Amino acid sequence: MSPPTAEHRVEFLRHPHPGYPHLTAWGIRIEGTDLRVLVAEATRALWSRELDEDDDTPQEREEFLLRQHAPLHLDDDADGARARAHFLGDAPPDLRDRDTGALWLLGCSCGIDACWPLLATVRVTATEVAWSGFYQPHRPNWGELPLGPYVFPRPAYDNALAAPVPLTQDPLAPLLGEG
């Protein structure tokens, strides 16, 4: 018998895409923390093995970690139907790993989501939604990231997805010198 899993709280955010204000972005907070901040913490040690710390200031390194991902841009999603389907596991083939079935939860800050996505296995049941097995497909040597698993009660998840928090800008803009 597996130990009980703690339930988490998720918020979905809608705001202009960073750098591409004519596009709508879908961001995520878990327990009130932007998923990109959680990913920055999870990848800090991995990046430190690859980057020359003498090339950047501590502030530049922190901004790099926070900028490695951006909220997903989901085309033609004025009513949020595409985002609801996506985050409930019904992602189109271009937003999932064809080998593992994992879904993209974040895209790349360059504006091309496929460039540097964050993927996770999304399991949906009648009572809960679970995100686990986070990974970066362009760094297979990193393996599974030390992130999650996150289990959300299905009714709260559905409510958060149906009523995303509307924002006028990326919530990390002030940390990135953009706000």
Side-chain angles (χ1 to χ4, degrees), residues 2-175:
S2 61
T5 305
E7 290 184 342
H8 294 87
R9 181 175 50 90
V10 67
E11 293 174 280
F12 292 95
L13 317 170
R14 275 185 77 152
H15 55 81
H17 195 285
Y20 302 89
H22 63 286
L23 302 176
T24 299
W26 282 80
I28 301 164
R29 287 184 189 138
I30 298 174
E31 303 301 338
T33 301
D34 194 291
L35 181 57
R36 292 169 293 168
V37 171
L38 298 171
V39 173
E41 288 302 316
T43 59
R44 185 178 311 280
L46 297 164
W47 277 117
S48 71
R49 292 183 230 151
E50 294 187 33
L51 302 175
D52 184 351
E53 291 192 19
D54 294 334
D55 289 344
D56 299 310
T57 67
Q59 181 179 347
E60 289 169 330
R61 282 192 302 277
E62 190 61 27
E63 284 184 17
F64 170 81
L65 289 169
L66 292 174
R67 286 182 193 272
Q68 68 182 303
H69 293 291
L72 279 182
H73 163 242
L74 300 170
D75 294 323
D76 304 322
D77 197 33
D79 65 356
R82 184 169 180 212
R84 284 190 296 279
H86 177 87
F87 291 112
L88 285 169
D90 188 19
D94 62 323
L95 294 177
R96 69 171 54 244
D97 183 313
R98 69 174 164 225
D99 296 326
T100 67
L103 306 182
W104 298 8
L105 295 181
L106 294 172
C108 185
S109 59
C110 78
I112 301 169
D113 289 334
C115 182
W116 191 257
L118 173 72
L119 287 89
T121 298
V122 176
R123 182 181 52 80
V124 179
T125 71
T127 59
E128 66 185 24
V129 177
W131 295 354
S132 63
F134 292 82
Y135 68 99
Q136 171 42 255
H138 302 301
R139 289 294 190 280
N141 58 314
W142 284 2
E144 186 176 322
L145 298 175
L147 193 61
Y150 300 109
V151 177
F152 310 105
R154 178 70 187 266
Y157 188 94
D158 288 342
N159 289 339
L161 200 47
V165 177
L167 300 173
T168 58
Q169 70 174 6
D170 181 346
L172 294 189
L175 293 174

